[in-house]
Amino acid sequence: MSEIADKINIILKSIPEKVKLVAVSKTKPIENILEAYNSGYKIFGENKVQELVEKYNVLPKDIEWHMIGHLQTNKVKYIVPFVSLIHAIDSEKLINEINKESLKINKVTNCLLQIKIAKEDTKFGLSIENAIEIIKNKEKYKNVNICGLMGMATYTDDKNQISEEFNLLNSTFIEISEKYFKNEPYFKEISMGMSGDYKIAIENGSTIIRVGSSIFGNRNYQN
Ligand SMILES: *Cc1c(COP(=O)(O)O)cnc(C)c1O
C-alpha cells in the first residue's frame, strides 16, 4: 500500500459513507495521482484550468474530475467536456458561459454556487442574495444543473467561528432547497471542509469534502 492510498483510506474510514471525498491534487505530480488511482481511488480536484486539462489528458479517462477553484469565463470551454462538478460558480456571467458551452456539446454540467460565508475578506463567492437571484433564473440555464452550494470558512484556529460559518452554509442550503428546489432532488450537495476543518464541516452537514494536504502532503506554494 502506498502512503497516499493509506491516507485516503484513513480519511474514508473516519467519515460517513454518504460524504464524498475529493482528493485535491493541485500542484502535485501525475505520479501522486496514479498512486491513489492504482489503489482504487478515482475522485480528484484541481483549482487551475491548465493544470486540470494537462492532467486529464494524460491520466485514465475514468477519473472523476472536480474543478474546485475560481474559474474564468474564457477558460470554461476547456473543461466543460469532461468535468464532473464545477464547485465554485461565483457570478451570473460564469454560469451563463457554462450553460452556453454545455449547450454546444449537448451536455448538462453539474455545478455548485459558491457562497461567501467567511467573516474574513475573501475575493470570491456570491452573497446569499446574489445566489438566490441566480437560482430564481435557473430556468435560463437549461444545460446547467445547480446541485448545491459550496463554501470556505475563515482560515483561523477558532473552531467555533469555523463551525458558525459552516452552519450558515447549511441553513442557507436548507432554506434555498425548500424554497426553490422542492421538486428537484438533484439539489443535494454542500461542498465544505478541507484538511484543517473537514471534521467540523461534516458535523455541520457537509456532503462533499475537498482534502489536499492531509493526503498528498504540504504544497510548496499556497494556492
Ligand atoms: C486547495 C484547496 C482545497 C484543499 O486544501 P487543503 O487544506 O490542502 O486540504 C480545498 N478547496 C479549495 C477550493 C482549494 O483551493
mmCIF file of all heavy atoms in Angstrom, residues 113-152:
data_model
loop_
_atom_site.group_PDB
_atom_site.id
_atom_site.type_symbol
_atom_site.label_atom_id
_atom_site.label_comp_id
_atom_site.label_asym_id
_atom_site.label_seq_id
_atom_site.Cartn_x
_atom_site.Cartn_y
_atom_site.Cartn_z
ATOM 1 N N LEU A 113 -22.999 26.603 -6.442
ATOM 2 C CA LEU A 113 -22.815 28.040 -6.275
ATOM 3 C C LEU A 113 -21.935 28.265 -5.051
ATOM 4 O O LEU A 113 -22.221 27.738 -3.965
ATOM 5 C CB LEU A 113 -24.160 28.749 -6.084
ATOM 6 C CG LEU A 113 -25.195 28.598 -7.203
ATOM 7 C CD1 LEU A 113 -26.440 29.434 -6.884
ATOM 8 C CD2 LEU A 113 -24.620 29.001 -8.559
ATOM 9 N N GLN A 114 -20.872 29.042 -5.229
ATOM 10 C CA GLN A 114 -20.002 29.345 -4.090
ATOM 11 C C GLN A 114 -20.563 30.539 -3.321
ATOM 12 O O GLN A 114 -20.749 31.616 -3.868
ATOM 13 C CB GLN A 114 -18.575 29.660 -4.562
ATOM 14 C CG GLN A 114 -17.655 29.936 -3.377
ATOM 15 C CD GLN A 114 -16.214 30.245 -3.782
ATOM 16 O OE1 GLN A 114 -15.884 30.313 -4.962
ATOM 17 N NE2 GLN A 114 -15.364 30.433 -2.785
ATOM 18 N N ILE A 115 -20.797 30.305 -2.032
ATOM 19 C CA ILE A 115 -21.342 31.356 -1.176
ATOM 20 C C ILE A 115 -20.230 31.876 -0.268
ATOM 21 O O ILE A 115 -19.452 31.098 0.296
ATOM 22 C CB ILE A 115 -22.477 30.802 -0.273
ATOM 23 C CG1 ILE A 115 -23.513 30.032 -1.094
ATOM 24 C CG2 ILE A 115 -23.130 31.921 0.527
ATOM 25 C CD1 ILE A 115 -24.446 30.863 -1.897
ATOM 26 N N LYS A 116 -20.208 33.180 -0.135
ATOM 27 C CA LYS A 116 -19.243 33.800 0.771
ATOM 28 C C LYS A 116 -19.741 33.605 2.200
ATOM 29 O O LYS A 116 -20.726 34.211 2.603
ATOM 30 C CB LYS A 116 -19.174 35.295 0.456
ATOM 31 C CG LYS A 116 -17.799 35.878 0.434
ATOM 32 C CD LYS A 116 -17.835 37.353 0.072
ATOM 33 C CE LYS A 116 -17.101 37.560 -1.238
ATOM 34 N NZ LYS A 116 -16.693 38.930 -1.485
ATOM 35 N N ILE A 117 -19.095 32.729 2.954
ATOM 36 C CA ILE A 117 -19.538 32.504 4.336
ATOM 37 C C ILE A 117 -18.505 32.988 5.343
ATOM 38 O O ILE A 117 -18.805 33.146 6.521
ATOM 39 C CB ILE A 117 -19.832 31.006 4.614
ATOM 40 C CG1 ILE A 117 -18.658 30.121 4.179
ATOM 41 C CG2 ILE A 117 -21.122 30.578 3.918
ATOM 42 C CD1 ILE A 117 -18.749 28.697 4.702
ATOM 43 N N ALA A 118 -17.269 33.202 4.902
ATOM 44 C CA ALA A 118 -16.200 33.586 5.818
ATOM 45 C C ALA A 118 -16.362 35.031 6.253
ATOM 46 O O ALA A 118 -16.724 35.893 5.462
ATOM 47 C CB ALA A 118 -14.845 33.382 5.156
ATOM 48 N N LYS A 119 -16.093 35.261 7.542
ATOM 49 C CA LYS A 119 -16.125 36.636 8.037
ATOM 50 C C LYS A 119 -14.938 37.420 7.492
ATOM 51 O O LYS A 119 -15.003 38.615 7.302
ATOM 52 C CB LYS A 119 -16.093 36.645 9.572
ATOM 53 C CG LYS A 119 -17.402 36.175 10.186
ATOM 54 C CD LYS A 119 -17.486 36.594 11.655
ATOM 55 C CE LYS A 119 -18.675 35.957 12.343
ATOM 56 N NZ LYS A 119 -18.259 34.943 13.325
ATOM 57 N N GLU A 120 -13.836 36.711 7.258
ATOM 58 C CA GLU A 120 -12.658 37.399 6.714
ATOM 59 C C GLU A 120 -12.957 37.827 5.279
ATOM 60 O O GLU A 120 -13.807 37.267 4.601
ATOM 61 C CB GLU A 120 -11.425 36.484 6.750
ATOM 62 C CG GLU A 120 -11.464 35.354 5.727
ATOM 63 C CD GLU A 120 -10.274 34.404 5.814
ATOM 64 O OE1 GLU A 120 -9.311 34.683 6.536
ATOM 65 O OE2 GLU A 120 -10.337 33.352 5.169
ATOM 66 N N ASP A 121 -12.228 38.827 4.814
ATOM 67 C CA ASP A 121 -12.416 39.302 3.456
ATOM 68 C C ASP A 121 -11.934 38.251 2.477
ATOM 69 O O ASP A 121 -10.783 37.848 2.511
ATOM 70 C CB ASP A 121 -11.613 40.591 3.240
ATOM 71 C CG ASP A 121 -12.547 41.770 3.019
ATOM 72 O OD1 ASP A 121 -13.753 41.517 2.794
ATOM 73 O OD2 ASP A 121 -12.088 42.915 3.070
ATOM 74 N N THR A 122 -12.814 37.768 1.624
ATOM 75 C CA THR A 122 -12.386 36.807 0.621
ATOM 76 C C THR A 122 -12.730 37.355 -0.757
ATOM 77 O O THR A 122 -13.687 38.094 -0.914
ATOM 78 C CB THR A 122 -13.066 35.430 0.816
ATOM 79 O OG1 THR A 122 -14.451 35.655 1.082
ATOM 80 C CG2 THR A 122 -12.457 34.679 1.964
ATOM 81 N N LYS A 123 -11.919 36.956 -1.716
ATOM 82 C CA LYS A 123 -12.085 37.501 -3.059
ATOM 83 C C LYS A 123 -13.336 36.973 -3.735
ATOM 84 O O LYS A 123 -14.061 37.698 -4.385
ATOM 85 C CB LYS A 123 -10.865 37.123 -3.918
ATOM 86 C CG LYS A 123 -9.778 38.180 -3.933
ATOM 87 C CD LYS A 123 -8.742 37.853 -5.005
ATOM 88 C CE LYS A 123 -7.910 36.640 -4.613
ATOM 89 N NZ LYS A 123 -6.820 36.315 -5.524
ATOM 90 N N PHE A 124 -13.569 35.656 -3.609
ATOM 91 C CA PHE A 124 -14.572 35.037 -4.460
ATOM 92 C C PHE A 124 -15.774 34.534 -3.672
ATOM 93 O O PHE A 124 -15.685 34.231 -2.499
ATOM 94 C CB PHE A 124 -13.951 33.886 -5.255
ATOM 95 C CG PHE A 124 -12.784 34.321 -6.088
ATOM 96 C CD1 PHE A 124 -11.525 33.803 -5.856
ATOM 97 C CD2 PHE A 124 -12.942 35.284 -7.077
ATOM 98 C CE1 PHE A 124 -10.433 34.216 -6.631
ATOM 99 C CE2 PHE A 124 -11.865 35.693 -7.855
ATOM 100 C CZ PHE A 124 -10.615 35.155 -7.625
ATOM 101 N N GLY A 125 -16.872 34.425 -4.346
ATOM 102 C CA GLY A 125 -18.078 33.899 -3.722
ATOM 103 C C GLY A 125 -19.227 34.882 -3.865
ATOM 104 O O GLY A 125 -19.027 36.088 -3.960
ATOM 105 N N LEU A 126 -20.424 34.310 -3.878
ATOM 106 C CA LEU A 126 -21.640 35.118 -4.015
ATOM 107 C C LEU A 126 -22.190 35.450 -2.637
ATOM 108 O O LEU A 126 -22.056 34.665 -1.705
ATOM 109 C CB LEU A 126 -22.706 34.311 -4.763
ATOM 110 C CG LEU A 126 -22.413 33.899 -6.201
ATOM 111 C CD1 LEU A 126 -23.248 32.669 -6.564
ATOM 112 C CD2 LEU A 126 -22.719 35.053 -7.150
ATOM 113 N N SER A 127 -22.855 36.588 -2.539
ATOM 114 C CA SER A 127 -23.651 36.819 -1.343
ATOM 115 C C SER A 127 -24.871 35.890 -1.445
ATOM 116 O O SER A 127 -25.196 35.412 -2.535
ATOM 117 C CB SER A 127 -24.113 38.271 -1.285
ATOM 118 O OG SER A 127 -25.003 38.515 -2.355
ATOM 119 N N ILE A 128 -25.524 35.640 -0.324
ATOM 120 C CA ILE A 128 -26.715 34.788 -0.368
ATOM 121 C C ILE A 128 -27.749 35.395 -1.316
ATOM 122 O O ILE A 128 -28.374 34.691 -2.111
ATOM 123 C CB ILE A 128 -27.282 34.601 1.055
ATOM 124 C CG1 ILE A 128 -26.259 33.833 1.909
ATOM 125 C CG2 ILE A 128 -28.616 33.856 1.031
ATOM 126 C CD1 ILE A 128 -26.609 33.733 3.384
ATOM 127 N N GLU A 129 -27.896 36.709 -1.263
ATOM 128 C CA GLU A 129 -28.870 37.401 -2.119
ATOM 129 C C GLU A 129 -28.561 37.164 -3.600
ATOM 130 O O GLU A 129 -29.458 36.850 -4.389
ATOM 131 C CB GLU A 129 -28.866 38.910 -1.843
ATOM 132 C CG GLU A 129 -29.366 39.305 -0.465
ATOM 133 C CD GLU A 129 -28.384 38.953 0.658
ATOM 134 O OE1 GLU A 129 -27.148 38.997 0.432
ATOM 135 O OE2 GLU A 129 -28.856 38.614 1.765
ATOM 136 N N ASN A 130 -27.292 37.312 -3.975
ATOM 137 C CA ASN A 130 -26.938 37.114 -5.385
ATOM 138 C C ASN A 130 -27.120 35.663 -5.825
ATOM 139 O O ASN A 130 -27.492 35.394 -6.963
ATOM 140 C CB ASN A 130 -25.497 37.566 -5.654
ATOM 141 C CG ASN A 130 -25.364 39.079 -5.603
ATOM 142 O OD1 ASN A 130 -26.362 39.800 -5.695
ATOM 143 N ND2 ASN A 130 -24.151 39.564 -5.444
ATOM 144 N N ALA A 131 -26.845 34.739 -4.915
ATOM 145 C CA ALA A 131 -27.062 33.328 -5.236
ATOM 146 C C ALA A 131 -28.549 33.092 -5.507
ATOM 147 O O ALA A 131 -28.922 32.408 -6.468
ATOM 148 C CB ALA A 131 -26.569 32.447 -4.097
ATOM 149 N N ILE A 132 -29.391 33.665 -4.682
ATOM 150 C CA ILE A 132 -30.835 33.480 -4.861
ATOM 151 C C ILE A 132 -31.302 34.103 -6.179
ATOM 152 O O ILE A 132 -32.147 33.523 -6.881
ATOM 153 C CB ILE A 132 -31.611 34.044 -3.647
ATOM 154 C CG1 ILE A 132 -31.370 33.119 -2.436
ATOM 155 C CG2 ILE A 132 -33.107 34.156 -3.933
ATOM 156 C CD1 ILE A 132 -31.965 33.605 -1.125
ATOM 157 N N GLU A 133 -30.713 35.238 -6.545
ATOM 158 C CA GLU A 133 -31.054 35.843 -7.840
ATOM 159 C C GLU A 133 -30.769 34.872 -8.988
ATOM 160 O O GLU A 133 -31.581 34.712 -9.899
ATOM 161 C CB GLU A 133 -30.252 37.142 -8.056
ATOM 162 C CG GLU A 133 -30.833 38.362 -7.354
ATOM 163 C CD GLU A 133 -32.332 38.525 -7.605
ATOM 164 O OE1 GLU A 133 -32.728 38.568 -8.795
ATOM 165 O OE2 GLU A 133 -33.104 38.574 -6.614
ATOM 166 N N ILE A 134 -29.614 34.229 -8.934
ATOM 167 C CA ILE A 134 -29.259 33.253 -9.981
ATOM 168 C C ILE A 134 -30.243 32.080 -9.963
ATOM 169 O O ILE A 134 -30.730 31.633 -10.997
ATOM 170 C CB ILE A 134 -27.804 32.752 -9.783
ATOM 171 C CG1 ILE A 134 -26.817 33.878 -10.137
ATOM 172 C CG2 ILE A 134 -27.536 31.507 -10.625
ATOM 173 C CD1 ILE A 134 -25.350 33.528 -9.901
ATOM 174 N N ILE A 135 -30.562 31.615 -8.766
ATOM 175 C CA ILE A 135 -31.444 30.460 -8.635
ATOM 176 C C ILE A 135 -32.855 30.773 -9.144
ATOM 177 O O ILE A 135 -33.494 29.934 -9.789
ATOM 178 C CB ILE A 135 -31.448 29.972 -7.166
ATOM 179 C CG1 ILE A 135 -30.107 29.290 -6.866
ATOM 180 C CG2 ILE A 135 -32.619 29.042 -6.895
ATOM 181 C CD1 ILE A 135 -29.840 29.062 -5.393
ATOM 182 N N LYS A 136 -33.314 31.974 -8.879
ATOM 183 C CA LYS A 136 -34.637 32.363 -9.383
ATOM 184 C C LYS A 136 -34.700 32.292 -10.904
ATOM 185 O O LYS A 136 -35.761 32.096 -11.475
ATOM 186 C CB LYS A 136 -34.972 33.787 -8.924
ATOM 187 C CG LYS A 136 -35.469 33.874 -7.495
ATOM 188 C CD LYS A 136 -35.812 35.318 -7.189
ATOM 189 C CE LYS A 136 -36.421 35.461 -5.795
ATOM 190 N NZ LYS A 136 -36.389 36.886 -5.364
ATOM 191 N N ASN A 137 -33.547 32.487 -11.542
ATOM 192 C CA ASN A 137 -33.485 32.448 -13.009
ATOM 193 C C ASN A 137 -32.983 31.117 -13.540
ATOM 194 O O ASN A 137 -32.555 31.019 -14.692
ATOM 195 C CB ASN A 137 -32.550 33.555 -13.517
ATOM 196 C CG ASN A 137 -33.174 34.920 -13.342
ATOM 197 O OD1 ASN A 137 -34.355 35.104 -13.591
ATOM 198 N ND2 ASN A 137 -32.378 35.880 -12.885
ATOM 199 N N LYS A 138 -33.023 30.077 -12.708
ATOM 200 C CA LYS A 138 -32.358 28.843 -13.118
ATOM 201 C C LYS A 138 -32.935 28.222 -14.395
ATOM 202 O O LYS A 138 -32.239 27.475 -15.088
ATOM 203 C CB LYS A 138 -32.323 27.840 -11.977
ATOM 204 C CG LYS A 138 -33.640 27.272 -11.513
ATOM 205 C CD LYS A 138 -33.330 26.334 -10.367
ATOM 206 C CE LYS A 138 -34.462 25.732 -9.581
ATOM 207 N NZ LYS A 138 -35.838 25.972 -9.860
ATOM 208 N N GLU A 139 -34.175 28.563 -14.733
ATOM 209 C CA GLU A 139 -34.772 28.050 -15.978
ATOM 210 C C GLU A 139 -33.993 28.509 -17.213
ATOM 211 O O GLU A 139 -34.057 27.885 -18.271
ATOM 212 C CB GLU A 139 -36.235 28.491 -16.091
ATOM 213 C CG GLU A 139 -37.170 27.828 -15.078
ATOM 214 C CD GLU A 139 -37.037 26.312 -15.063
ATOM 215 O OE1 GLU A 139 -37.011 25.705 -16.147
ATOM 216 O OE2 GLU A 139 -36.940 25.733 -13.952
ATOM 217 N N LYS A 140 -33.285 29.622 -17.060
ATOM 218 C CA LYS A 140 -32.483 30.134 -18.186
ATOM 219 C C LYS A 140 -31.297 29.228 -18.494
ATOM 220 O O LYS A 140 -30.747 29.250 -19.582
ATOM 221 C CB LYS A 140 -31.912 31.527 -17.830
ATOM 222 C CG LYS A 140 -32.898 32.654 -17.923
ATOM 223 C CD LYS A 140 -32.210 34.004 -18.218
ATOM 224 C CE LYS A 140 -31.175 34.412 -17.180
ATOM 225 N NZ LYS A 140 -30.996 35.864 -17.029
ATOM 226 N N TYR A 141 -30.893 28.481 -17.480
ATOM 227 C CA TYR A 141 -29.668 27.684 -17.641
ATOM 228 C C TYR A 141 -30.024 26.209 -17.783
ATOM 229 O O TYR A 141 -29.818 25.414 -16.875
ATOM 230 C CB TYR A 141 -28.734 27.917 -16.456
ATOM 231 C CG TYR A 141 -28.563 29.386 -16.118
ATOM 232 C CD1 TYR A 141 -28.997 29.898 -14.892
ATOM 233 C CD2 TYR A 141 -27.980 30.259 -17.035
ATOM 234 C CE1 TYR A 141 -28.853 31.240 -14.594
ATOM 235 C CE2 TYR A 141 -27.836 31.601 -16.738
ATOM 236 C CZ TYR A 141 -28.271 32.091 -15.521
ATOM 237 O OH TYR A 141 -28.138 33.422 -15.219
ATOM 238 N N LYS A 142 -30.567 25.868 -18.945
ATOM 239 C CA LYS A 142 -31.073 24.508 -19.158
ATOM 240 C C LYS A 142 -29.960 23.470 -19.201
ATOM 241 O O LYS A 142 -30.201 22.293 -18.981
ATOM 242 C CB LYS A 142 -31.852 24.447 -20.471
ATOM 243 C CG LYS A 142 -33.099 25.335 -20.489
ATOM 244 C CD LYS A 142 -34.332 24.547 -20.902
ATOM 245 C CE LYS A 142 -35.579 25.407 -21.004
ATOM 246 N NZ LYS A 142 -35.894 26.147 -19.756
ATOM 247 N N ASN A 143 -28.752 23.905 -19.522
ATOM 248 C CA ASN A 143 -27.644 22.957 -19.611
ATOM 249 C C ASN A 143 -26.722 22.998 -18.389
ATOM 250 O O ASN A 143 -25.581 22.575 -18.444
ATOM 251 C CB ASN A 143 -26.854 23.184 -20.900
ATOM 252 C CG ASN A 143 -27.661 22.724 -22.106
ATOM 253 O OD1 ASN A 143 -28.639 23.376 -22.486
ATOM 254 N ND2 ASN A 143 -27.301 21.599 -22.669
ATOM 255 N N VAL A 144 -27.275 23.543 -17.307
ATOM 256 C CA VAL A 144 -26.553 23.517 -16.035
ATOM 257 C C VAL A 144 -27.482 22.930 -14.978
ATOM 258 O O VAL A 144 -28.645 23.301 -14.891
ATOM 259 C CB VAL A 144 -26.132 24.940 -15.594
ATOM 260 C CG1 VAL A 144 -25.541 24.916 -14.194
ATOM 261 C CG2 VAL A 144 -25.127 25.543 -16.570
ATOM 262 N N ASN A 145 -26.980 21.993 -14.202
ATOM 263 C CA ASN A 145 -27.682 21.523 -13.012
ATOM 264 C C ASN A 145 -27.048 22.184 -11.800
ATOM 265 O O ASN A 145 -25.876 21.925 -11.509
ATOM 266 C CB ASN A 145 -27.523 20.009 -12.844
ATOM 267 C CG ASN A 145 -28.717 19.251 -13.339
ATOM 268 O OD1 ASN A 145 -29.768 19.821 -13.628
ATOM 269 N ND2 ASN A 145 -28.555 17.947 -13.439
ATOM 270 N N ILE A 146 -27.823 23.000 -11.104
ATOM 271 C CA ILE A 146 -27.300 23.559 -9.854
ATOM 272 C C ILE A 146 -27.546 22.504 -8.777
ATOM 273 O O ILE A 146 -28.666 22.288 -8.343
ATOM 274 C CB ILE A 146 -27.974 24.890 -9.501
ATOM 275 C CG1 ILE A 146 -27.769 25.907 -10.638
ATOM 276 C CG2 ILE A 146 -27.407 25.436 -8.182
ATOM 277 C CD1 ILE A 146 -28.515 27.229 -10.432
ATOM 278 N N CYS A 147 -26.461 21.820 -8.389
ATOM 279 C CA CYS A 147 -26.587 20.651 -7.495
ATOM 280 C C CYS A 147 -26.457 21.002 -6.029
ATOM 281 O O CYS A 147 -26.589 20.130 -5.176
ATOM 282 C CB CYS A 147 -25.523 19.621 -7.825
ATOM 283 S SG CYS A 147 -25.602 19.017 -9.497
ATOM 284 N N GLY A 148 -26.129 22.266 -5.720
ATOM 285 C CA GLY A 148 -25.981 22.627 -4.316
ATOM 286 C C GLY A 148 -25.090 23.840 -4.138
ATOM 287 O O GLY A 148 -24.921 24.644 -5.059
ATOM 288 N N LEU A 149 -24.506 23.934 -2.938
ATOM 289 C CA LEU A 149 -23.719 25.109 -2.564
ATOM 290 C C LEU A 149 -22.318 24.687 -2.125
ATOM 291 O O LEU A 149 -22.094 23.542 -1.715
ATOM 292 C CB LEU A 149 -24.399 25.860 -1.417
ATOM 293 C CG LEU A 149 -25.856 26.288 -1.629
ATOM 294 C CD1 LEU A 149 -26.387 26.964 -0.365
ATOM 295 C CD2 LEU A 149 -26.013 27.199 -2.840
ATOM 296 N N MET A 150 -21.401 25.633 -2.211
ATOM 297 C CA MET A 150 -20.022 25.400 -1.773
ATOM 298 C C MET A 150 -19.572 26.598 -0.951
ATOM 299 O O MET A 150 -20.038 27.723 -1.187
ATOM 300 C CB MET A 150 -19.135 25.238 -3.009
ATOM 301 C CG MET A 150 -17.653 25.056 -2.758
ATOM 302 S SD MET A 150 -16.712 26.597 -2.685
ATOM 303 C CE MET A 150 -15.085 26.016 -3.121
ATOM 304 N N GLY A 151 -18.717 26.356 0.030
ATOM 305 C CA GLY A 151 -18.214 27.478 0.808
ATOM 306 C C GLY A 151 -16.885 27.162 1.465
ATOM 307 O O GLY A 151 -16.514 25.996 1.616
ATOM 308 N N MET A 152 -16.175 28.214 1.815
ATOM 309 C CA MET A 152 -14.905 28.080 2.533
ATOM 310 C C MET A 152 -14.953 28.912 3.803
ATOM 311 O O MET A 152 -15.319 30.089 3.767
ATOM 312 C CB MET A 152 -13.757 28.561 1.652
ATOM 313 C CG MET A 152 -13.471 27.618 0.497
ATOM 314 S SD MET A 152 -12.381 28.355 -0.721
ATOM 315 C CE MET A 152 -10.801 27.826 -0.057
#
